[in-house]
Amino acid sequence: MEATQSGRIRASDAEREQTTEVLRAAMGEGRLALDEGEQRMTAVYTAVYRDELAPLTADLPGQGWPALARTPERRSAARRRLRGHASGVMLLTGVLIAVWVTTGAHFFWPIFIIVPMTLSVFKHAAFVRHGGAWPARDWHGHGPWTPHHHGRAFHN
């Protein structure tokens, strides 16, 4: 990502598509009227720089990300990721226990790995239950193209 001489960063097609997904979700919730949503989507596709995208979702709660996380597609994807996470933890737990049994160690050392992995599944389940997706924001709550983002991108 290179900034122009004025410090502006060009928007990518992926960023434009992500913004239109946010706007569609806001329209689905009734936060934007059909004509206003279409106007904003037109502005998204004509935007050249990232700072032109941010104002299009600025007046939506959480810049529209919570609405996007509640769409059926995102909820389904979040549940799939959770199932994959839980399956991986169960598989690794089985491998660790097999290694422990094979080595004949008296102390059950896999507990130090199994407990944090299991807690991570519970934490992941809480995110899915209370939002349906990992937020596409940095630690300060800024979206990937807001001026405060400093060029880092966290995409779902």
Side-chain angles (χ1 to χ4, degrees), residues 53-127:
L53 296 174
L56 300 172
T57 59
D59 61 342
L60 300 172
Q63 292 182 327
W65 292 107
L68 183 60
R70 288 188 293 269
T71 62
E73 299 84 17
R74 294 293 175 120
R75 284 189 174 277
S76 177
R79 284 191 298 270
R80 271 193 315 276
R81 285 192 304 272
L82 177 58
R83 281 191 302 271
H85 183 183
S87 298
V89 167
M90 289 184 339
L91 177 67
L92 189 55
T93 296
V95 169
L96 289 170
I97 291 172
V99 169
W100 174 73
V101 168
T102 304
T103 61
H106 296 288
F107 179 72
F108 187 65
W109 56 265
I111 195 75
F112 294 112
I113 302 168
I114 294 170
V115 168
M117 288 190 317
T118 303
L119 291 175
S120 74
V121 171
F122 286 117
K123 181 72 170 176
H124 191 164
F127 272 106

